[in-house]
Amino acid sequence: MRDLPPLNALLAFEIVARTGSVRAAADELLVTPSAISRQIRLLEEHFGVALFARQGRGLTMTSVGAAYYERVTSHFDGLRKASALLHASSGRAVLKLRSYTTFATRWLLPRLSHFQLAHPEIDVRLTTESQWSDLGDFDAAIRLGDGQWPEHRAVPLVPNILRPVCSPALLKGSETKDASWLARQTLLFVRARPDDWALWCDAAGIDMAGLKRRRELESSALAYQAALEGHGVALAQLVLVEDELAAGDLMAPMAFALDRRNVTYYLVSDVRSQKRTVLDQLQRWLTSVDAA
């Protein structure tokens, strides 16, 4: 075994090379990005060569790294196929599902837990990430959009209603606030949804040019946390902050809410999927009012 590199490091390398992202590899392996970086350094030390070139905060494969990836990735594909066959022969259906991180933690996970209890014969394996990418090796994914994706079945899961929310600490009176109040607040923008505030302001008849105080955050989860801590006003997808609103930890200071209608979260799968029966079971569960 002395000729084999550390297998954890090799796995981290294969995923980073396949996805092009340390963060994606961290999400897939349920570890931190720094842990992935350590494994990559360990593999490079093992061989004494650079497998990736660091460019700012990103990575690109060196020629040596690319050549090594081409040789090892087929072996990982073989392992995945062999594992899939073993799972199939064991009698349990395996369903690989991918979701945005915030949607998974705030809406999907409780429903999946109940689904697993009700359907022990189905093994749902959830991977989270901050942005959408192609289905790839996944059987289904959660995608935010208009539902119009060729060769994919898209089933809407929730209403996507946008409304400003903030900590009660920002409110000095119980009355509904107006545009002048909003102009004095810090607006919390989400990098993955950069147009939401503009859409809401346009529909609400508010000149966004007058809203000067802004802060950009990586994800909705961070925006909601910043709002909870009193750092500004987040434009929330209401279905994702129901618990905080019900508990009074977040308040909706302005009356207007924008219903994005067909632009919402969908359960997306390939129309030719061989796991249609299992996918239909999951779809029926997630769209049932009794799923939570």
Side-chain angles (χ1 to χ4, degrees):
M1 299 291 288
R2 290 179 59 193
D3 294 334
L4 287 176
L7 296 184
N8 284 341
L10 186 59
L11 178 59
F13 164 77
E14 193 272 343
I15 298 173
V16 172
R18 170 164 48 84
T19 63
S21 167
V22 169
R23 180 171 293 278
D27 289 341
E28 188 167 331
L29 293 177
L30 301 178
V31 298
T32 64
S34 60
I36 295 295
S37 297
R38 285 195 298 272
Q39 292 295 333
I40 295 299
R41 288 196 298 272
L42 184 63
L43 193 64
E44 290 177 327
E45 290 169 2
H46 175 85
F47 289 117
V49 296
L51 300 171
F52 292 95
R54 279 70 178 176
Q55 294 185 343
R57 298 178 64 183
L59 294 177
T60 58
M61 277 191 290
T62 63
S63 58
V64 173
Y68 188 57
Y69 172 70
E70 288 298 322
R71 289 177 172 83
V72 302
T73 188
S74 61
H75 298 291
F76 278 96
D77 287 339
L79 287 171
R80 293 186 183 101
K81 290 175 182 177
S83 298
L85 288 172
L86 187 59
H87 281 297
S89 65
S90 70
R92 290 190 84 197
V94 176
L95 196 61
K96 292 185 288 184
L97 176 65
R98 183 168 55 198
S99 172
Y100 302 109
T101 304
T102 303
F103 188 81
T105 56
R106 288 181 167 264
W107 189 90
L108 184 59
L109 277 175
R111 290 158 176 81
L112 279 186
S113 297
H114 294 159
F115 178 79
Q116 295 275 222
L117 290 173
H119 297 279
E121 75 283 2
I122 301 174
D123 181 10
V124 181
R125 300 183 180 180
L126 177 65
T127 297
T128 61
E129 61 181 21
S130 58
Q131 293 183 338
W132 162 262
S133 58
D134 292 337
L135 280 176
D137 292 334
F138 290 87
D139 300 304
I142 307 299
R143 184 172 187 180
L144 178 64
D146 62 5
Q148 302 301 309
W149 300 295
E151 300 186 359
H152 289 81
R153 177 183 290 188
V155 179
L157 296 177
V158 295
N160 185 19
I161 298 173
L162 304 180
R163 191 172 178 184
V165 298
C166 67
S167 165
L170 295 186
L171 305 176
K172 296 180 180 178
S174 59
E175 73 278 4
T176 301
K177 305 303 181 182
D178 58 13
S180 62
W181 172 84
L182 191 61
R184 297 192 298 273
Q185 312 306 315
T186 298
L187 303 192
L188 303 172
F189 281 71
V190 176
R191 193 166 299 161
R193 298 188 289 112
D195 300 325
D196 280 5
W197 270 112
L199 291 168
W200 184 88
C201 286
D202 183 62
I206 294 175
D207 183 4
M208 192 171 168
L211 308 179
K212 303 292 188 181
R213 300 174 62 180
R214 306 177 186 183
R215 179 182 175 190
E216 185 180 86
L217 296 166
E218 182 69 28
S219 68
S220 296
L222 292 176
Y224 299 154
Q225 187 60 40
L228 283 165
E229 295 175 6
H231 299 308
V233 181
L235 189 60
Q237 296 164 303
L238 289 183
V239 72
L240 302 185
V241 294
E242 288 176 341
D243 291 344
E244 288 84 356
L245 288 171
D249 297 323
L250 285 176
M251 306 290 288
M254 305 187 72
F256 182 74
L258 174 62
D259 188 344
R260 296 299 312 280
R261 300 189 183 279
N262 65 309
V263 178
T264 188
Y265 290 98
Y266 291 82
L267 178 67
V268 178
S269 58
D270 194 310
V271 295
R272 298 160 302 208
S273 174
Q274 298 180 358
K275 298 183 180 180
R276 179 55 52 198
T277 300
V278 179
L279 285 167
D280 286 346
Q281 286 180 279
L282 179 61
Q283 170 196 317
R284 286 193 294 269
W285 185 273
L286 293 180
T287 53
S288 167
V289 293
D290 299 324

